[in-house]
Amino acid sequence: MKTKLFIITLAATMFAACSPTPEPIQELQLTEEEQILNNQQSQAGLDLLRLHAYTDEENVIISPLSINIASAMLANGAENVTLEQILNTIGAEDYSIDELNSYYSKLMKALPHLDQTTDMRISNGIWLDDDLHPVENFVEANKRSYQATVDIIDLNTPAAAKVINDWASLNTNKLIEKVVEESMFNDYTRFVLANAIYFKGMWQSEFKKANTSKGDFHLADGTTIQTDMMHQTAKFKVGEYWNVSETDYKTNPDARMLRMPFKGEFYMDIILPARSICCADFLDHIFNMELMETMEKSLMEEEVTVQMPKFTLKNHFDLIPDLKALGMVDVFTDAADLSGIDSTRDLKVQHFLHDTYLEVNEKGAKAAAVTTIIGVDKAAGPAQDFIIDRPFLLFIREAKYGTILFAAKIGNPTK
């Protein structure tokens, strides 16, 4: 039997287009249950990042929000054990698909409009081939909860790749210009589903370019390299983590947190482990959302001299091994139940790809992430110093509930 392809492309991206008329400001209001879900979604993102603690990549950036939204949209077409595994993997095991959709509907409506200084957009699109017989609820749920637009185009020719790639490029401000290959489109291609998130934030306290100079950055293997270091002294919130069982024997904390606000309702948290602690070990064995919350409680505003690398990095991952390790297994095998997408076909996922981009400079930060799922038929005080001169963790978060948009481990800012 011939292998028949279907393609789901889910893109979470940062797009830098300015709207001529500012949208009205909205407030994100989550119920107590949704706040718990929000925290569990963030922990799921940390679990995914942790799987790359000891990989060959010195720099790893993922978008938990992108991957979770992509998975949630896919979940609307999953049934039974396949659905349970998807929900479990993204930290939503105690919630129904309707509750998950309601939660993301709130994020979709509010996150892009929390302030008028941050450039952010969340967009979703579905392209259907005229030979697909989609279950009505799959399409309607994505239109209703994820504000997805739905178009019918000919997906059976390589030309369809240009439509999807142009859409991705537009919604990432050309940071990520290619998410699918022409070879993915043939007589058996049935649909493409895409999610795009855009974010561009400007520092509340910008670095002056004149103060950027070469400085030391100490790699995990003990070598020292030279990289562009930004400098400024200003008031920032700083927190600490001490291992309670060893506090009596330590003079320095096990890790420090620096919160750098963007203009508006977002901020970047930087977690810097002590020089004696390997960043990978800290991420793999110590750090979690509970610890992040503990460090948040210790935050106090102080005059701080910040030295921070200026960098741009990109990543590309096939997430299937990671997702399998976290419990999302059946959707990639013949045990997959995606009958909620098309009840006339037996479908499974063949690829779960994730492309990311992050740039941090004197003015602020911009990032992009594209998540692409390809499926086949089963047949197929005095100013203190905060010198970021060694591997560190980085998180771009929404301010009210701490929703993690992007999470990164930076081991070598020159790569």
Side-chain angles (χ1 to χ4, degrees):
M1 186 177 294
K2 293 182 180 180
T3 298
K4 301 181 181 180
L5 298 179
F6 74 82
I7 296 175
I8 309 173
T9 303
L10 306 119
T13 63
M14 304 195 125
F15 176 76
C18 296
S19 176
T21 345
E23 295 284 346
I25 291 177
Q26 297 186 22
E27 185 177 0
L28 179 60
Q29 291 285 359
L30 299 180
T31 65
E32 186 174 340
E33 282 298 310
E34 288 170 337
Q35 291 178 48
I36 295 173
L37 174 59
N38 193 72
N39 191 70
Q40 292 177 181
Q41 296 267 284
S42 295
Q43 181 61 53
L46 292 184
D47 292 341
L48 195 57
L49 183 65
R50 182 177 293 114
L51 292 176
H52 288 268
Y54 294 103
T55 59
D56 291 335
E57 305 103 342
E58 290 186 273
N59 307 313
V60 178
I61 175 174
I62 63 172
S63 171
L65 187 60
S66 165
I67 296 167
N68 290 343
I69 288 180
S71 299
M73 295 177 75
L74 178 64
N76 277 279
E79 303 286 352
N80 302 313
V81 176
T82 301
L83 173 60
E84 292 177 10
Q85 290 181 353
I86 293 174
L87 296 180
N88 289 349
T89 301
I90 62 175
E93 61 271 19
D94 298 322
Y95 299 83
S96 68
I97 188 63
D98 289 338
E99 290 171 324
L100 190 65
N101 288 344
S102 177
Y103 161 76
Y104 275 118
S105 179
K106 285 188 177 182
L107 295 188
M108 287 281 305
K109 292 174 182 176
L111 284 179
H113 309 299
L114 295 180
D115 62 71
Q116 294 181 344
T117 58
T118 303
D119 289 332
M120 182 178 185
R121 183 174 303 170
I122 305 178
S123 303
N124 297 305
I126 298 176
W127 295 263
L128 301 175
D129 183 69
D130 57 12
D131 197 32
L132 186 74
H133 304 286
V135 175
E136 183 178 357
N137 186 64
F138 171 71
V139 175
E140 291 303 315
N142 281 301
K143 289 172 64 176
R144 180 179 62 252
S145 299
Y146 299 89
Q147 303 170 30
T149 58
V150 180
D151 293 306
I152 297 175
I153 65 172
D154 184 2
L155 294 176
N156 298 156
T157 67
K162 186 177 187 304
V163 175
I164 309 307
N165 287 330
D166 286 351
W167 182 88
S169 179
L170 175 66
N171 285 280
T172 60
N173 197 29
K174 299 184 178 181
L175 295 181
I176 299 174
E177 298 187 282
K178 190 173 184 179
V179 296
V180 294
E181 301 285 347
E182 289 186 354
S183 60
M184 296 176 180
F185 294 85
N186 54 42
D187 290 343
Y188 307 112
T189 308
R190 296 295 172 245
F191 66 86
V192 175
L193 184 154
N195 157 257
I197 302 171
Y198 133 66
F199 173 97
K200 181 181 179 182
M202 310 301 288
W203 298 127
Q204 199 174 95
S205 176
E206 292 187 10
F207 294 85
K208 293 181 180 179
K209 285 191 175 182
N211 292 338
T212 298
S213 59
K214 293 294 183 182
D216 291 342
F217 190 93
H218 308 289
L219 303 181
D221 64 6
T223 60
T224 298
I225 60 171
Q226 290 284 296
T227 190
D228 289 333
M229 281 283 193
M230 305 180 293
H231 298 71
Q232 71 163 296
T233 299
K235 286 184 180 273
F236 293 105
K237 290 184 177 179
V238 180
E240 296 179 343
Y241 161 69
W242 295 78
N243 186 325
V244 178
S245 63
E246 301 178 5
T247 299
D248 292 341
Y249 308 98
K250 292 178 182 278
T251 57
N252 295 308
D254 292 85
R256 300 170 69 203
M257 171 187 277
L258 173 68
R259 175 158 292 176
M260 299 185 62
F262 296 104
K263 295 176 182 177
E265 296 300 314
F266 297 87
Y267 53 78
M268 179 183 289
D269 280 340
I270 293 183
I271 311 294
L272 186 67
R275 292 186 185 277
S276 58
I277 300 176
C278 169
C279 187
D281 288 341
F282 182 79
L283 176 61
D284 191 31
H285 301 299
I286 301 173
F287 191 70
N288 55 32
M289 284 303 298
E290 184 178 352
L291 178 55
M292 181 177 277
E293 291 174 357
T294 299
M295 296 187 75
E296 283 185 292
K297 292 176 183 177
S298 74
L299 287 172
M300 294 186 64
E301 189 171 74
E302 301 181 40
E303 189 87 357
V304 182
T305 296
V306 177
Q307 295 184 36
M308 180 179 185
K310 174 181 177 179
F311 61 90
T312 299
L313 62 91
K314 297 180 181 181
N315 277 145
H316 170 79
F317 305 107
D318 183 344
L319 291 180
I320 289 180
D322 298 335
L323 296 174
K324 282 185 174 181
L326 296 175
M328 192 189 298
V329 178
D330 285 7
V331 74
F332 306 114
T333 71
D334 285 348
D337 186 348
L338 295 176
S339 55
I341 295 177
D342 184 340
S343 60
T344 68
R345 298 177 184 277
D346 287 328
L347 308 169
K348 66 180 179 181
V349 171
Q350 187 179 54
H351 295 288
F352 203 122
L353 307 175
H354 194 54
D355 292 272
T356 51
Y357 176 99
L358 174 63
E359 179 180 347
V360 176
N361 58 32
E362 290 88 353
K363 291 185 176 297
K366 58 182 177 181
V370 179
T371 307
T372 306
I373 299 174
I374 302 176
V376 298
D377 280 336
K378 288 179 185 174
Q384 60 164 299
D385 292 334
F386 203 105
I387 302 175
I388 308 164
D389 63 352
R390 55 190 182 274
F392 61 96
L393 307 179
L394 177 154
F395 304 91
I396 295 177
R397 307 173 67 193
E398 167 272 329
K400 187 170 184 179
Y401 297 106
T403 305
I404 297 177
L405 279 67
F406 287 81
K409 181 198 76 172
I410 310 300
N412 185 342
T414 64
K415 286 194 173 181

